[in-house]
Amino acid sequence: MAFPLHRPRRLRSTGEMRSLVRETRLAPSQLVYPMFVCPGEGVRREISSMPGNYQLSVDQFVGDCEKLAGLGLGGIIVFGLPETKDEQASGAYADDGIVQRAVRAVKRALPKLLVITDVCNCEYTSHGHCGLVVGDDVDNDETLKWLSATAVSHARAGADIVAPSDMMDGRVAAIRAALDAADLTRIPILSYAAKFASVFYGPFREAAESTPQFGDRRGYQMDPPNAREAMREIELDLAEGADMIMIKPAMPYLDLIRQARDRFDVPLAAYQVSGEFAMIVAAARNGWLDQERAMLESLISIRRAGADFILTYFAPAAAKLL
Ligand code: PBG
């Protein structure tokens, strides 16, 4: 007995009507902007596969953050390109490392800007893997020491949240213990809990100069077909003390965002990664898609799937429209 009694189109008749009954909303405060900091001064190098995104020296980075500050973004997440790379990823946990310097500078200029740091080694190792390479494998437990040292040094520099993205086993527990031992009990951990070995990180690796020089990351990042294992990874990270969890990438994994939302009562992030951004921008540049609408529809789909906030290269552009 549906029609003609029920006519769902009644609630779609005008923009005002649609706005009244809209189920999912997107606000600037739900967007986090990833930024890349590099050595030097006055450096502003556009990343060719990510138009509108730059490798920025610390001065330029702070200047851009000052411009972003009025947009009401949730925050930024900082990635670093060190001066030199080595087998031990020493640039990752050096007190005067690139991320540490950038965070100190931006917190001095903008104490209220929420700063997340990515805790990983792949940008800092000469071989581009996320930890200590022994033979043809990454040594899990040794790598935990680097990650812990990195997280502590980021927090000491002023990071508000640390976000480990390496996918080593036990890293959340190791980082929590290290932060607590350093009197940094107040610093939350946003864990890249379910991070897949994805082809969609391609443009990022150009941006962060972190392509593995041999092999790939499938020995530590997750296998894309696995959903149950993603829930298990999240459970383990929460048991180890993660305060928030992340699914990455976002759009190819919307089902897992939904499953995680239904199962875990903690803040849930999703990372719309570089390849997701690049696909939309490339199609738009070919005249095949409307960039603004594709951007907003993709972001709302990630929110509808259940993400509380989204790490996205569209953050400034989307915030300007919202
Ligand atoms: C570091 C890291 C990566 C991304 C975020 N943190 C790259 C990788 O794992 O290869 C990807 C982000 C993106 O593609 O936008 N491990």
Side-chain angles (χ1 to χ4, degrees):
M1 281 307 114
F3 181 82
L5 183 60
H6 295 292
R7 289 179 181 270
R9 288 184 55 195
R10 283 183 196 121
L11 300 183
R12 295 176 207 143
S13 58
T14 63
E16 292 71 21
M17 192 75 80
R18 291 191 292 275
S19 168
L20 180 71
V21 299
R22 191 155 295 142
E23 298 176 33
T24 310
R25 296 187 191 265
L26 187 63
S29 62
Q30 297 161 334
L31 304 175
V32 172
Y33 186 43
M35 300 181 76
F36 301 94
V37 195
C38 67
E41 245 202 83
V43 182
R44 229 186 143 70
R45 219 174 292 124
E46 190 167 28
I47 301 153
S48 64
S49 53
M50 300 169 68
N53 290 268
Y54 300 83
Q55 296 176 344
L56 301 166
S57 53
V58 172
D59 57 304
Q60 298 288 307
F61 162 73
V62 173
D64 278 21
C65 288
E66 279 163 349
K67 284 185 210 133
L68 291 171
L71 295 175
L73 293 180
I76 60 168
I77 179 162
V78 185
F79 296 92
L81 290 97
E83 209 109 23
T84 56
K85 307 186 186 223
D86 58 32
E87 300 265 305
Q88 276 74 42
S90 17
Y93 40 86
D95 272 333
D96 62 347
I98 184 72
V99 167
Q100 289 81 352
R101 278 189 281 134
V103 170
R104 260 184 232 114
V106 78
K107 289 304 271 189
R108 208 175 303 126
L110 300 161
K112 285 190 138 119
L113 178 69
L114 188 115
V115 175
I116 307 175
T117 54
D118 182 85
V119 175
C120 196
N121 298 303
C122 56
E123 296 119 81
Y124 305 91
T125 50
S126 37
H127 43 67
H129 277 286
C130 297
L132 173 71
V133 169
V134 179
D136 57 2
D137 194 21
V138 173
D139 185 296
N140 193 88
D141 299 11
E142 276 302 306
T143 301
L144 297 183
K145 297 174 190 160
W146 301 356
L147 295 166
S148 303
T150 302
V152 168
S153 72
H154 286 177
R156 281 195 178 132
D160 297 292
I161 299 172
V162 292
S165 70
D166 52 285
M167 290 303 279
M168 296 302 123
D169 294 331
R171 88 260 213 223
V172 174
I175 290 172
R176 184 72 270 158
L179 289 171
D180 290 358
D183 249 343
L184 293 161
T185 52
R186 66 177 193 287
I187 302 296
I189 299 174
L190 165 60
S191 151
Y192 287 69
K195 172 171 173 178
F196 287 86
S198 173
V199 71
F200 293 102
Y201 306 150
F204 174 94
R205 291 182 187 170
E206 181 204 331
E209 298 172 9
S210 65
T211 307
Q213 300 304 302
F214 61 90
D216 54 42
R217 300 205 208 291
R218 282 184 269 200
Y220 38 104
Q221 297 180 351
M222 289 187 59
D223 196 20
N226 290 3
R228 285 192 302 262
E229 189 190 352
M231 298 305 118
R232 172 90 178 125
E233 279 282 6
I234 295 171
E235 247 162 36
L236 289 171
D237 281 7
L238 290 173
E240 288 179 26
D243 300 279
M244 302 183 270
I245 53 176
M246 192 198 301
I247 308 275
K248 176 184 172 190
M251 283 169 72
Y253 298 86
L254 292 178
D255 56 329
L256 302 186
I257 297 174
R258 170 47 51 192
Q259 284 185 36
R261 172 71 299 146
D262 290 344
R263 273 172 79 150
F264 303 104
D265 293 324
V266 293
L268 173 62
Y271 199 142
Q272 183 181 49
V273 300
S274 56
E276 300 178 68
F277 170 84
M279 284 194 293
I280 291 175
V281 174
R285 291 194 164 198
N286 268 301
W288 297 340
L289 274 181
D290 178 288
Q291 181 162 325
E292 273 185 8
R293 291 185 53 203
M295 164 180 81
L296 291 175
E297 190 173 328
S298 68
L299 293 171
I300 207 77
S301 77
I302 297 165
R303 288 267 306 128
R304 193 189 61 238
D308 296 304
F309 61 97
I310 306 170
L311 291 78
T312 173
Y313 302 95
F314 285 125
K320 280 176 199 151
L321 287 178
L322 295 171

